[in-house]
Amino acid sequence: MPEETRTGPIGEDLIPRDSFSSTDYGQWREAISQLYVPTRDDAARRPFRVEMNSFMLGIGTLGRCISVEQPFSRSRAQIGRDGIDNYMVQIFRKGRCHARALGGDITLDAGDICIFDNTEPLDTVNEDFDLMALAIPRSRLAPLLHDPDGQHYRRVRGDIPLARLFRSHVMDVYRMAPTMKAEDGPQVFSALVHFLAAVINGGRDLTGDQKTLLRKSLMQEVRQHIDNNLDSDKLTVEDISARFGMSRSRLYAHFEPHGGVAAFVRQRRLAAAYQKLTDPLAPQPKINIVATSVGFQSESAFIKAFRRQYGMTPGEASRQPLVGAALSSNAAASKYIWSDWYTRL
């Protein structure tokens, strides 16, 4: 019989904690597929085992996961469906991660600090592993980084002194977490995030710069402005530059990893359309209405762009089985509390 154990919060004055242990691969797949879809094909030939122990530190999560070799994926369709916008930072204590990227495969070694941007597709294979994982809202980490949109598959070598210090600090926080008071969680996690930003930015003491960035950075406001005005025709480079008082070259440079400003706006429009089309609680929408609501003036242009992005027509998307929505519903019912944490930041 499969084994599963779960442990909820230990006490009302302590930080929330949830643990999961199972030998049932199907159960693990159901739980984690809200974020990453495991695609292991040898489950019948090799014994499966997973252990997960997670803590909610107010504004983010810290957890440890131990399991056997398996692939993970996160597709454009899933990104469009769930709208998750956070970073997953992993430190492999044992095992390695092999990531497939457009520019060539990347190997992330044990001890390295690995950053995954959950607004980007993921295609990885983990060897038998023991890893630490931090899920961080973009709004908390991005303003502290010099290149917030260029971090996907980022590797910070584990032998760099500051990386070793950060790794040790993460383990210290994890060991202290079971006795940590809930009121201290947000402050402890905030310190972790600032420490991580210094590591990612190259090890400089950025405390003063980080405070300035938090006060003055416009890029998060630009992204929010785009998301709030997807139906508007005022999302051109000229309009955005004028609204936020920045040069076109700075705006171009920021959105270059996304293929430019227009490509980013189109991606966000299509993601919003995908969510509207696959919302299980809404009546089946009309394609032309959805197209107009996300800023497309032509239904045919919308259908063409949607098919190019997701490999299906809007009509096919609205009729497909809502696996992701069903999983999310299960999590909302607290079937897997830790999984819900990782996806709702």
Side-chain angles (χ1 to χ4, degrees):
M1 292 291 291
E3 174 188 352
E4 176 203 2
T5 60
R6 287 187 62 256
T7 306
I10 305 302
E12 290 185 0
D13 61 335
L14 300 180
I15 62 172
R17 172 182 182 178
D18 197 51
S19 298
F20 173 87
S21 175
S22 182
T23 56
D24 184 341
Y25 177 69
Q27 187 178 59
W28 162 246
R29 191 177 192 279
E30 179 187 28
I32 196 64
S33 285
Q34 284 190 92
L35 187 58
Y36 305 123
V37 178
T39 54
R40 186 171 182 251
D41 59 7
D42 65 340
R45 296 196 300 270
R46 187 181 179 197
F48 177 78
R49 176 77 183 183
V50 63
E51 296 179 23
M52 172 72 79
N53 191 34
S54 299
F55 299 91
M56 172 59 84
L57 296 171
I59 58 174
T61 65
L62 171 62
R64 180 179 180 184
C65 184
I66 304 170
S67 192
V68 299
E69 180 176 344
Q70 56 191 291
F72 294 93
S73 68
R74 180 167 169 77
S75 67
R76 283 286 181 198
Q78 183 174 3
I79 292 168
R81 181 171 61 242
D82 59 35
I84 291 171
D85 190 11
N86 59 35
Y87 297 99
M88 179 65 73
V89 179
Q90 296 183 346
I91 303 173
F92 282 72
R93 303 178 74 235
K94 296 179 182 178
R96 296 184 300 175
C97 175
H98 304 275
R100 301 183 184 95
L102 291 177
D105 292 355
I106 302 168
T107 297
L108 308 167
D109 294 316
D112 291 347
I113 299 170
C114 315
I115 298 97
F116 303 101
D117 185 337
N118 285 326
T119 65
E120 297 292 337
L122 177 137
D123 185 4
T124 62
V125 177
N126 287 2
E127 298 176 0
D128 291 0
F129 63 90
D130 177 352
L131 63 80
M132 305 301 300
L134 295 94
I136 305 172
R138 180 181 296 275
S139 61
R140 296 290 181 165
L141 181 58
L144 305 176
L145 301 179
H146 293 322
D147 185 15
D149 295 318
Q151 299 302 322
H152 191 47
Y153 287 163
R154 172 74 181 276
R155 173 199 179 202
V156 180
R157 286 175 43 189
D159 58 357
I160 296 174
L162 198 58
R164 293 204 305 267
L165 288 172
F166 179 75
R167 188 169 63 239
S168 177
H169 183 57
V170 168
M171 291 306 303
D172 285 342
V173 172
Y174 180 76
R175 283 190 287 267
M176 293 169 55
T179 58
M180 194 180 299
K181 291 188 176 181
E183 62 189 34
D184 296 326
Q187 184 175 4
V188 170
F189 198 80
S190 180
L192 269 175
V193 172
H194 279 76
F195 195 167
L196 173 64
V199 174
I200 293 174
N201 285 331
R204 294 181 293 258
D205 181 2
L206 298 174
T207 302
D209 291 340
Q210 290 170 352
K211 291 180 179 178
T212 300
L213 285 169
L214 281 170
R215 290 195 302 269
K216 298 183 178 181
S217 175
L218 295 178
M219 290 310 171
Q220 285 300 107
E221 294 181 37
V222 171
R223 292 169 66 102
Q224 191 62 55
H225 170 71
I226 290 172
D227 282 346
N228 290 343
N229 295 276
L230 294 176
D231 61 341
S232 172
D233 59 359
K234 303 293 186 181
L235 292 180
T236 64
V237 171
E238 293 76 14
D239 289 320
I240 296 174
S241 296
R243 178 181 177 85
F244 289 92
M246 67 175 67
S247 67
R248 296 184 186 182
S249 60
R250 182 184 175 191
L251 196 62
Y252 278 126
H254 178 74
F255 288 101
E256 185 178 1
H258 299 279
V261 178
F264 178 81
V265 171
R266 183 171 58 252
Q267 176 185 330
R268 297 305 295 168
R269 281 173 167 158
L270 291 171
Y274 195 111
Q275 288 181 297
K276 290 174 182 286
L277 290 164
T278 58
D279 184 353
L281 301 181
Q284 191 166 14
K286 292 184 177 180
I287 304 303
N288 63 327
I289 294 177
V290 172
T292 302
S293 73
V294 295
F296 281 86
Q297 302 304 312
S298 163
E299 182 178 349
S300 61
F302 169 64
I303 293 173
K304 182 178 179 180
F306 193 94
R307 182 190 286 115
R308 186 165 56 243
Q309 180 77 6
Y310 296 114
M312 67 182 81
T313 66
E316 290 169 339
S318 68
R319 295 189 297 270
Q320 69 176 342
L322 299 175
V323 176
L327 291 174
S328 179
S329 177
N330 287 341
S334 299
K335 186 174 183 180
Y336 304 110
I337 298 173
W338 58 270
S339 180
D340 202 26
W341 289 344
Y342 277 78
T343 57
R344 293 185 180 274
L345 300 181

